[in-house]
Amino acid sequence: MCSKLSIVKVNFIVSFILACSFQLSAQSYNFTNYSLKDGLPQSQVTAIYQARDRTLWLGTFGGVSNFDGKEFISYGKADGLGSNAVNSIVEDNQNQVYFGTESGINILKKRKIGTLFSGKSVSHLFKDQQGYIWGVSEHKLFRIEKGKPVFYSIAGKYINAISADQYGNLYAVVAERGIYLLKNNRWVIYQELPAALNALSIRKVLFDKKIKNKFYLLTNRNGIYVVEDGKIKPFFKNKAIDTYYAIAQDSKGNIWIGSEKGAYLVHENGSFVYFNADNGLSDNQVEEIFSDAENNIWISCFSDGIYKYEGDSFIRYHKFKGQNVAYPISGIAADKNNNLWFGTYNKGIFKYDGNHVTNINHPAFKNNKIYFVYADKAKNIWISTYGNGVWKYDGNKFWQVLKPERYDNSSIAEDSEGGIWINGLKSSVYLKDGKTKKIAGFEGYSSCIFPFPLSKDSVLLGTSKGVMLIRDKKIDKAFQIRSIQDAHVLTIIKHGSNLVFATLGDGIITWNLQTKASKRYVIANGLNSNDIYSLVIDNNNNLWAGTGRGINKLTYNRAEQRYEVFRDQPLVVECNQNAIINYKNNILVGTTEGLVRCQTALPAENKKSPFIHFQCINLFHKNDRSKDVCIDLNQEKKGFYKLDYSQNHIAISFKGVYLTNPLSVLYRYKLIGVDNDFSKPVPNTEIEYSAIKPGSYTFQVYAVANGQQSNIEQFSFTIVPPIYDTVLFKIVAFLVLIFLIWLIFYLIFKTREQKKHRFEKLKQKEQEKIRKQTAEDFHDDIGNKLTRINVLSEILDKKVAGSEKELKELIRLIRENAGLLYTGTKDILWALDPHSDNLFEILVHIKNFGIDLFQNTGVDFKMEGVLAKYEKLHLSMEFNRNLTLIFKEMLNNVLKHANAKQVLIMVIETDHDTINILTTDDGQGFDLESVERGRGLNNIQTRCKRIKSTFQISSVKGKGTTTTISTRITVTK
């Protein structure tokens, strides 16, 4: 079963000295140990491998474990391993991890372990430049092809080991032959070895990281050999070493060697350091040494788990020349001769002169409790002791300055005028020129004092209730700093334009002297603890803080006007109040376990950045939990993901690996499309977004640690909107809505139109009925009377004698007018009759009129194109009347003025489904430009406009005249 256990570091931080001014009887080194109690599945680590995500894979006799610096995730036989004894580990180009065990090869793919082959022990696994996995099983070389091992032979000899250089070239150690190189898929001899060396058992080959064509050979019992440009020579051998197990090279080019008892660090000049239980490592067998991508050195010790070498940035002193000084340090100061004075809580005071450490044998101090050790501007040493008051040392002698009172004095400071301020628990004493003055009456308990640059004799008093201002030897009750109010202030220091307050439980609080702005720094900002006991500034203007859980370095970022906390120190120790000093460009800190030195001028190193990768992208379905999905970007190809609108709740899990100092890793992230900028640094390793609107997004995240920024990982995705939320759908919906609105209005208007049409039709029928009735009545009444008049006029004409010519003429006129009136009456009756309201009837009526008009006149009249289908073209009475009158006027004009012999009317259908009526005569014609238009032509044009028709005339003298009336009547097919 995969176990996931949080680890707690065990720090073996012991004394180590590099500067010549510090000479110790024993040198100790800084290591961090990870073992069973931290989550390691078994204490014997046999293989160490670093994956591309920067995590470590650790092979043990109890399975394999993945370690990110904070926790272990372990796999064993119950999870699918063929054997819990893991000898070798490698990762392929598809992020699959192979484990060579005592019984074959297993592979971890998508968090599940499978088996490639079983039955034989696999001792080495490496990947070549083409991505193939090579291994050694029972001294036989194989390559994994299509998921199966294919064995290869090199000169028919045993293969002792395989290895790779920094370029990915693969090499094999062939017994009795030498070193072979895999080149163009063929194994070729790379380095022949002498018979003496061939006879030795070569366990490992290490290629130099800095020098090409240089490598080291680790033999079983005969030490280390170096090969450079084909020349072989011994490199390191020690009589104390029986068997050599491991070899590695650090970033400085030094060689680390593992033996059956501890490890050796061999420098380029041949000098070496031996690491064992006496100086921080272990006396047990070193199985493996590994240099990771961040230049950390990892050492596996038999039954002790693994150690990480932490370097020498912190040194703890516990012995000087055999003198035990591993006591709680209460104060540190340097006198005018640069001798170092440090007080303890139970063993009095010590002086270090650069060669010797002396416990001051004075009755006031011997085995007594020391509250502070202080050096004034003249480098005189001031000492406060339990029950013995305050003493002063001027370089020659000690004398008592203040006698003991009810409460002992715990802090001291010197102002700009040379006055000394010494604090008790409830009062402060001012000393100058042999005179003393006591100031009391403040709230809380006094803990520190600091010369305040407000005036020459003003000081700030740090208490358990904040800070008080003492001015002119009186407490200024009007003065207050709100951000410090009620804080327990332990130390005050001025750094640039800031006053820096160390507090108990409230971290570090800064107060700008110019802007009066305050800022607070706590664990969330990188401090090891919120209890700050001491502050000091180094030669590089960095601020150092002694806390309840170690020492922090802070640098001031002027651009952002705030401090940045470095969390690259593994030392966990409780510091003491006001026990700190900048001494010879080193920071010395008094702790509950002795004196600690912090190096401020460490050699410049190529610091590696943390590495970040996604663990899982969880997509939560809006309605159905069974449809939740987890995307593993480490196993799947990275790309642009399309998500359904119901998958708009996303949780993104990531991990930043920084093995140098895993606790210092913070994260900054943003979701492009939602966030404008990266977030503030946070420790969260999972970010959740819910109810994300449809659109395209890119999530970006990176890790920061110790001022270093990792790679930026990103995940791009698009949330596809539902169909009802797409632009196309909205356009279609809008168009449908417009159509429905149009349809509603259309139906309304159509209904109204239909009603109107029905009404008009009824009205028309009624009119037709009235017209028909009128025509019948007119015909029966007026027609009969006109006929009667005509008959009576004929009778009268017969009775009048022929001699009565005037009467005869009068009777003729009556009869003629009656006839004309009857003819006109027939036209009216024809127009009134509804059966005449179609084009066919109109044309027939015009034709009949023309025949009657030109009868017995010598004019040949014809009309062509009158078709029966025109009966379907129903026209209004207005159209009927005007068209008839137009042709009566035209034909009368032809008869009266044209002197024509032939008149032709043609009805022609055009391509545009309209009708043109042409009237042509062969009369005398006229000049259109010179002729004066009479009333007849004007009437014709006026009537044409009424019926929405056009009238055109063309005439040539002596060749006749043609008129064209173009109607806008649509022809029904």
Side-chain angles (χ1 to χ4, degrees):
M1 180 180 292
C2 173
S3 63
K4 190 174 183 179
L5 303 172
S6 296
I7 65 95
V8 179
K9 287 186 178 181
V10 177
N11 293 279
F12 291 84
I13 312 295
V14 287
S15 47
F16 173 60
I17 190 66
L18 293 179
C20 61
S21 58
F22 296 95
Q23 298 179 5
L24 306 184
S25 58
Q27 296 179 349
S28 298
Y29 301 85
N30 304 334
F31 291 91
T32 299
N33 176 236
Y34 301 90
S35 59
L36 293 178
K37 64 181 181 298
D38 305 314
L40 193 65
Q42 203 266 346
S43 62
Q44 300 173 53
V45 177
T46 55
I48 305 175
Y49 179 83
Q50 189 168 31
R52 278 188 286 184
D53 63 5
R54 294 277 186 91
T55 58
L56 292 181
W57 283 96
L58 307 173
T60 73
F61 287 142
V64 68
S65 190
N66 183 245
F67 180 52
D68 65 358
K70 294 181 180 179
E71 60 187 10
F72 292 90
I73 299 176
S74 301
Y75 303 86
K77 198 169 182 180
D79 302 299
L81 280 179
S83 168
N84 273 350
V86 179
N87 302 322
S88 185
I89 307 169
V90 72
E91 181 184 31
D92 67 12
N93 292 340
Q94 287 73 45
N95 300 318
Q96 300 173 132
V97 184
Y98 296 74
F99 309 113
T101 73
E102 289 296 324
S103 61
I105 295 181
N106 294 104
I107 182 172
L108 179 66
K109 183 178 181 181
K110 293 184 178 181
R111 301 180 184 179
K112 293 183 179 180
I113 293 180
T115 301
L116 284 185
F117 79 94
S118 58
K120 296 180 180 180
S121 175
V122 175
S123 57
H124 295 77
L125 288 175
F126 277 92
K127 180 177 67 175
D128 66 19
Q129 287 181 321
Q130 295 179 333
Y132 286 105
I133 303 300
W134 292 80
V136 175
S137 175
E138 297 180 345
H139 295 287
K140 295 178 181 179
L141 183 67
F142 66 86
R143 187 174 80 175
I144 297 176
E145 300 176 11
K146 297 181 180 180
K148 295 181 180 180
V150 177
F151 286 86
Y152 290 80
S153 174
I154 302 178
K157 301 296 181 180
Y158 278 1
I159 307 299
N160 290 337
I162 58 174
S163 184
D165 61 19
Q166 64 267 37
Y167 307 106
N169 298 309
L170 203 62
Y171 301 83
V173 180
V174 182
E176 302 178 14
R177 291 284 181 171
I179 311 295
Y180 277 73
L181 166 66
L182 180 61
K183 188 175 183 180
N184 298 326
N185 289 324
R186 293 182 59 212
W187 290 96
V188 297
I189 189 69
Y190 175 73
Q191 177 69 51
E192 293 183 352
L193 300 177
L197 189 56
N198 262 316
L200 304 174
S201 175
I202 299 176
R203 300 173 65 103
K204 294 182 179 179
V205 179
L206 173 68
F207 288 87
D208 196 280
K209 296 179 179 179
K210 297 184 177 182
I211 303 175
K212 195 174 182 180
N213 298 324
K214 181 179 181 180
F215 58 94
Y216 302 86
L217 302 176
L218 176 76
T219 68
N220 193 28
R221 294 178 177 272
N222 283 73
I224 315 298
Y225 289 82
V226 62
V227 182
E228 186 171 6
D229 295 328
K231 297 179 181 180
I232 304 173
K233 60 181 180 180
F235 175 74
F236 178 81
K237 185 177 182 180
N238 191 292
K239 294 180 179 179
I241 301 175
D242 178 68
T243 305
Y244 298 82
Y245 289 93
I247 186 171
Q249 186 180 36
D250 62 23
S251 60
K252 299 176 183 178
N254 302 316
I255 301 299
W256 292 71
I257 299 168
S259 71
E260 77 280 358
K261 289 185 178 181
Y264 291 78
L265 170 60
V266 183
H267 300 290
E268 292 183 356
N269 60 8
S271 62
F272 66 89
V273 179
Y274 175 45
F275 299 96
N276 60 8
D278 292 335
N279 54 16
L281 188 61
S282 170
D283 283 336
N284 289 327
Q285 176 179 305
V286 173
E287 287 283 345
E288 193 68 43
I289 302 177
F290 182 79
S291 177
D292 68 20
E294 298 170 20
N295 299 325
N296 298 304
I297 293 295
W298 298 83
I299 304 173
S300 70
C301 294
F302 186 84
S303 77
D304 284 329
I306 58 171
Y307 288 81
K308 183 178 70 172
Y309 177 63
E310 300 290 1
D312 54 2
S313 57
F314 284 115
I315 294 91
R316 180 181 301 173
Y317 300 105
H318 64 111
K319 279 188 179 181
F320 284 94
K321 297 290 185 178
Q323 173 67 58
N324 185 13
V325 291
Y327 309 120
I329 306 298
S330 57
I332 314 169
D335 63 18
K336 59 190 68 177
N337 296 317
N338 226 14
N339 297 319
L340 192 66
W341 297 72
F342 49 95
T344 69
Y345 275 110
N346 51 8
K347 293 294 181 180
I349 189 166
F350 292 82
K351 184 179 81 169
Y352 174 60
D353 61 6
N355 295 309
H356 303 90
V357 176
T358 305
N359 191 340
I360 303 300
N361 189 13
H362 189 283
F365 315 132
K366 186 69 174 178
N367 293 328
N368 201 355
K369 183 185 294 184
I370 306 299
Y371 287 106
F372 66 70
V373 178
Y374 176 78
D376 60 23
K377 294 178 182 177
K379 295 298 183 179
N380 299 307
I381 300 298
W382 298 70
I383 304 168
S384 174
T385 67
Y386 174 73
N388 281 319
V390 178
W391 293 70
K392 181 178 179 181
Y393 177 71
D394 62 0
N396 297 310
K397 63 177 181 177
F398 292 95
W399 73 89
Q400 191 178 45
V401 177
L402 289 179
K403 292 184 178 180
E405 295 186 358
R406 179 181 177 186
Y407 300 110
D408 290 298
N409 299 292
S410 58
S411 61
I412 184 173
E414 181 179 7
D415 63 23
S416 59
E417 294 293 302
I420 299 295
W421 295 79
I422 301 176
N423 281 351
L425 192 62
K426 297 293 291 182
S427 64
S428 182
V429 176
Y430 177 72
L431 292 84
K432 188 177 182 184
D433 300 330
K435 298 179 181 179
T436 62
K437 182 175 178 61
K438 181 178 287 188
I439 297 96
F442 50 80
E443 295 183 3
Y445 300 101
S446 173
S447 56
C448 65
I449 196 163
F450 175 73
F452 189 45
L454 186 64
S455 60
K456 293 182 178 180
D457 63 346
S458 62
V459 294
L460 280 179
L461 187 66
T463 74
S464 59
K465 295 289 185 179
V467 293
M468 307 289 177
L469 175 64
I470 300 177
R471 182 168 17 197
D472 296 331
K473 315 301 183 296
K474 296 178 182 179
I475 296 176
D476 186 351
K477 295 185 178 181
F479 177 84
Q480 63 177 349
I481 303 176
R482 294 186 181 276
S483 59
I484 313 297
Q485 195 172 4
D486 295 329
H488 193 155
V489 179
L490 300 179
T491 297
I492 306 172
I493 194 172
K494 183 176 182 293
H495 189 212
S497 59
N498 291 313
L499 282 184
V500 185
F501 301 90
T503 72
L504 186 66
D506 287 306
I508 292 176
I509 301 174
T510 63
W511 186 63
N512 192 286
L513 293 167
Q514 299 171 354
T515 65
K516 312 303 179 187
S518 295
K519 291 180 181 178
R520 185 165 174 256
Y521 303 86
V522 291
I523 291 175
N525 303 105
L527 291 177
N528 294 336
S529 170
N530 289 334
D531 299 329
I532 313 299
Y533 294 106
S534 55
L535 295 170
V536 74
I537 302 169
D538 67 17
N539 294 352
N540 299 317
N541 202 36
N542 297 314
L543 182 66
W544 292 77
T547 79
R549 285 185 57 82
I551 302 163
N552 282 117
K553 182 177 77 171
L554 298 87
T555 60
Y556 191 68
N557 188 323
R558 293 185 180 277
E560 297 184 6
Q561 295 291 300
R562 64 180 294 108
Y563 286 94
E564 294 178 350
V565 183
F566 281 80
R567 299 195 291 184
D568 57 350
Q569 316 300 349
L571 179 66
V572 178
V573 65
E574 185 176 5
C575 302
N576 288 327
Q577 184 183 359
N578 294 322
I580 195 166
I581 186 176
N582 181 359
Y583 182 70
K584 294 185 178 181
N585 202 24
N586 290 273
I587 302 300
L588 300 181
V589 183
T591 74
T592 57
E593 300 177 15
L595 191 65
V596 173
R597 180 169 73 92
C598 313
Q599 291 196 63
T600 62
L602 290 171
E605 291 187 15
N606 182 20
K607 289 190 175 181
K608 298 295 184 178
S609 302
F611 181 84
I612 193 170
H613 65 279
F614 287 116
Q615 290 185 289
C616 186
I617 311 295
N618 289 293
L619 307 176
F620 301 105
H621 195 273
K622 190 174 183 179
N623 302 314
D624 190 351
R625 297 291 91 181
S626 64
K627 294 182 180 180
D628 292 350
V629 178
C630 177
I631 301 174
D632 188 350
L633 298 182
N634 297 314
Q635 298 293 336
E636 300 179 22
K637 291 183 179 180
K638 296 181 181 179
F640 201 89
Y641 289 82
K642 281 190 176 182
L643 309 180
D644 189 72
Y645 70 93
S646 60
Q647 297 174 308
N648 64 343
H649 185 175
I650 299 177
I652 304 173
S653 177
F654 45 83
K655 179 185 289 185
V657 179
Y658 191 54
L659 299 175
T660 302
N661 187 11
L663 297 179
S664 69
V665 178
L666 297 173
Y667 303 92
R668 300 188 69 185
Y669 64 90
K670 72 174 177 180
L671 182 61
I672 299 175
V674 175
D675 303 321
N676 294 325
D677 200 1
F678 283 98
S679 68
K680 293 182 178 180
V682 295
N684 311 58
T685 59
E686 183 175 90
I687 303 299
E688 191 168 340
Y689 291 92
S690 60
I692 305 175
K693 295 180 180 180
S696 295
Y697 303 90
T698 297
F699 178 81
Q700 293 182 334
V701 62
Y702 66 88
V704 290
N706 299 340
Q708 301 291 315
Q709 177 179 320
S710 75
N711 56 303
I712 295 179
E713 279 285 87
Q714 67 179 33
F715 167 66
S716 298
F717 61 95
T718 291
I719 296 180
V720 179
I723 185 66
Y724 57 79
D725 200 25
T726 60
V727 175
L728 180 60
F729 181 86
K730 290 178 180 178
I731 293 174
V732 172
F734 176 76
L735 294 176
V736 169
L737 179 61
I738 295 298
F739 173 75
L740 290 175
I741 294 172
W742 174 84
L743 183 62
I744 292 170
F745 280 99
Y746 172 78
L747 292 175
I748 292 172
F749 287 118
K750 190 70 174 176
T751 304
R752 289 180 180 177
E753 194 68 28
Q754 288 175 350
K755 288 181 179 179
K756 184 179 179 181
H757 180 69
R758 286 195 298 270
F759 178 76
E760 291 290 338
K761 202 166 185 180
L762 289 173
K763 185 178 177 181
Q764 184 178 357
K765 285 183 178 180
E766 187 65 28
Q767 287 177 347
E768 288 177 356
K769 189 176 181 181
I770 292 172
R771 285 170 57 193
K772 186 175 183 180
Q773 186 66 41
T774 302
E776 290 175 354
D777 292 345
F778 191 87
H779 180 273
D780 293 343
D781 190 11
I782 303 300
N784 291 335
K785 285 182 172 58
L786 288 174
T787 303
R788 183 176 177 78
I789 290 171
N790 193 39
V791 171
L792 290 175
S793 63
E794 288 181 359
I795 295 171
L796 182 61
D797 184 52
K798 290 178 179 179
K799 289 183 176 183
V800 175
S803 58
E804 298 289 336
K805 292 183 179 181
E806 291 182 1
L807 290 174
K808 285 279 189 182
E809 181 64 22
L810 182 62
I811 292 169
R812 186 188 66 78
L813 290 174
I814 291 172
R815 188 171 59 245
E816 184 178 347
N817 284 310
L820 292 173
L821 180 61
Y822 181 75
T823 302
T825 303
K826 285 174 61 178
D827 289 341
I828 294 172
L829 292 175
W830 177 84
L832 285 173
D833 192 349
H835 294 291
S836 302
D837 292 346
N838 62 77
L839 184 59
F840 178 78
E841 289 294 334
I842 294 172
L843 296 175
V844 170
H845 184 69
I846 292 171
K847 181 178 180 181
N848 292 333
F849 173 79
I851 292 171
D852 291 340
L853 179 64
F854 293 108
Q855 189 175 6
N856 302 321
T857 61
V859 178
D860 184 16
F861 172 77
K862 291 182 181 180
M863 189 170 183
E864 299 176 354
V866 180
L867 305 177
K869 67 178 182 180
Y870 294 156
E871 286 184 326
K872 297 180 181 180
L873 295 178
H874 295 282
L875 305 171
S876 67
M877 187 173 66
E878 179 72 14
F879 191 96
N880 182 342
R881 173 178 167 75
N882 279 285
L883 188 60
T884 302
L885 292 176
I886 287 170
F887 276 95
K888 281 186 176 183
E889 185 74 33
M890 283 197 302
L891 293 177
N892 277 316
N893 285 339
V894 172
L895 181 63
K896 291 178 182 180
H897 306 295
N899 295 323
K901 298 297 182 181
Q902 291 183 347
V903 177
L904 176 63
I905 298 177
M906 291 186 295
V907 181
I908 302 172
E909 292 184 19
T910 69
D911 293 337
H912 302 289
D913 292 338
T914 58
I915 293 175
N916 290 341
I917 305 175
L918 280 69
T919 304
T920 305
D921 66 71
D922 58 353
Q924 60 188 4
F926 57 91
D927 187 359
L928 291 174
E929 295 182 359
S930 61
V931 72
E932 183 179 351
R933 286 178 175 262
R935 180 175 292 179
L937 286 176
N938 291 333
N939 288 341
I940 291 172
Q941 287 185 337
T942 301
R943 293 184 186 279
C944 282
K945 288 180 181 178
R946 288 178 186 171
I947 62 175
K948 298 180 180 179
S949 299
T950 61
F951 174 73
Q952 292 180 338
I953 183 169
S954 62
S955 181
V956 180
K957 270 191 175 186
K959 293 186 178 181
T961 303
T962 300
T963 61
T964 303
I965 295 175
S966 180
T967 71
R968 299 180 184 274
I969 303 171
T970 304
V971 176
T972 304
K973 296 294 185 181

